[in-house]
Amino acid sequence: MSRLLRRLISPVPPATVQRDTVRLRLEDVEIEILRVRDPRARRIKLSVDERGARLTLPPRASLVMGERFLELHREWLGLQLRHYQGHGLPAALQPGVEGVLPLRGELLPLRWQEGRYARLEIDGHGACVQWPSRGGDATLRRLLREFYEAQTRADVGRWLPKYLPGLPRAPSRLRLKVMSSQWGSLAPDGSMALDLALVLGRPAAFEYVLVHELCHLIQANHSPAFWHEVEQRFPDWREQRDYFQLEGRRLKAMLRQLL
């Protein structure tokens, strides 16, 4: 078979969606916009929802064209972001500016103090950030991620022992991720993934998600037998599931804004 004929009859691999971020300063705040090059897109599109801003580029559009599109829609973008921020999202954290820190269903007062190293701690007055004079946005995002990961692991470590006796085995590994839609997952090898946004919501809802994923070690499906296992361990799971229906998107949006 000739090379030309082979190329004609061989399936063409689908073009992949490419994602990165672009930063834009609006007034006194620098925001991060998800930039997506989508082979299915026919035109440049800018959209905003509770997850943040998204710039979609078709295959033939250059990065410069995308940046010009952002400049043309700068005022609209600012209005839309303020709209979503005003619907239940606290203001974005800025170094040196007092604000609030979401944690376990509460908004803790946040204050700043000068320090040699970046450090975030909880005390009797709320949350306190020790902040170096040369700290920047990347330092703050890293600090927040490490803080929330530590808090999440502490909660899991507190709840997990009481559920282990009734399981065929323990999870092989725990991974903490920023998930777009799911709250948790369990891989065939027994490794568990949990959404980092869980620690922002009320603890009972977080514990339900943990129990839900643990029960997949017994039933790797969502059959009546699976829900029976959940019911036995966490009787008010329906109330927590309803909580995520009402508050889930806001929690995920808060985490994206923080990180």
Side-chain angles (χ1 to χ4, degrees):
M1 183 184 296
S2 69
R3 182 178 301 177
L4 176 59
L5 182 58
R6 189 180 297 113
R7 289 176 57 190
L8 289 174
I9 65 176
S10 298
V12 178
T16 58
V17 176
Q18 299 174 348
R19 292 179 173 86
D20 63 358
T21 57
V22 58
R23 302 187 69 81
L24 179 69
R25 179 163 290 277
L26 291 176
E27 298 176 352
D28 295 328
V29 179
E30 191 175 48
I31 66 167
E32 197 168 78
I33 300 169
L34 176 63
R35 181 167 54 192
V36 180
R37 187 175 294 280
D38 190 338
R40 299 166 299 179
R42 296 179 177 273
R43 58 185 177 85
I44 300 178
K45 180 182 178 182
L46 180 62
S47 59
V48 180
D49 60 17
E50 67 280 348
R51 295 171 295 181
R54 174 185 175 121
L55 177 67
T56 303
L57 300 177
R60 293 174 180 258
S62 67
L63 298 183
V64 173
M65 292 172 64
E67 292 170 0
R68 289 175 179 169
F69 193 85
L70 284 176
E71 286 295 332
L72 287 173
H73 295 83
R74 174 187 289 269
E75 183 176 350
W76 177 88
L77 180 59
L79 289 172
Q80 293 300 310
L81 290 172
R82 284 193 294 272
H83 167 78
Y84 281 100
Q85 180 176 306
H87 284 71
L89 294 186
L93 297 183
Q94 300 181 50
V97 179
E98 292 188 357
V100 292
L101 183 75
L103 182 67
R104 299 188 179 96
E106 300 181 6
L107 296 176
L108 304 180
L110 179 69
R111 65 189 191 280
W112 301 76
Q113 295 180 356
E114 289 187 11
R116 187 174 181 182
Y117 304 104
R119 185 170 61 184
L120 173 56
E121 295 179 336
I122 304 298
D123 56 27
H125 302 286
C128 180
V129 179
Q130 302 288 333
W131 192 248
S133 58
R134 295 184 179 182
D137 290 342
T139 302
L140 179 57
R141 289 196 299 272
R142 182 173 62 251
L143 177 67
L144 288 170
R145 174 131 195 170
E146 292 173 351
F147 170 78
Y148 283 125
E149 286 182 350
Q151 295 294 316
T152 301
R153 291 187 183 278
D155 285 350
V156 172
R158 186 170 63 253
W159 296 323
L160 186 59
K162 67 180 178 181
Y163 296 112
L164 288 179
L167 299 175
R169 65 186 189 278
S172 61
R173 181 186 175 195
L174 174 62
R175 294 178 295 125
L176 303 177
K177 303 170 62 178
V178 179
M179 300 182 172
S180 59
S181 57
Q182 290 180 299
W183 293 102
S185 65
L186 188 78
D189 65 357
S191 63
M192 179 186 297
L194 295 174
D195 186 5
L196 201 55
L198 286 166
V199 78
L200 304 184
R202 68 187 187 193
F206 184 176
E207 188 174 359
Y208 155 64
V209 173
L210 176 65
V211 172
H212 182 114
E213 300 307 329
L214 290 174
C215 286
H216 280 309
L217 291 167
I218 306 172
Q219 296 284 342
N221 51 53
H222 288 99
S223 65
F226 165 80
W227 290 111
H228 174 74
E229 299 292 344
V230 175
E231 181 87 28
Q232 291 289 100
R233 294 163 175 80
F234 209 91
D236 71 337
W237 63 269
R238 294 176 181 83
E239 179 182 346
Q240 308 311 324
R241 184 183 61 182
D242 292 343
Y243 169 80
F244 285 117
Q245 292 290 332
L246 294 173
E247 299 290 335
R249 298 184 73 174
R250 186 178 67 88
L251 294 176
K252 288 180 179 292
M254 270 199 293
L255 183 67
R256 291 188 185 91
Q257 178 169 278
L258 286 161
L259 301 185

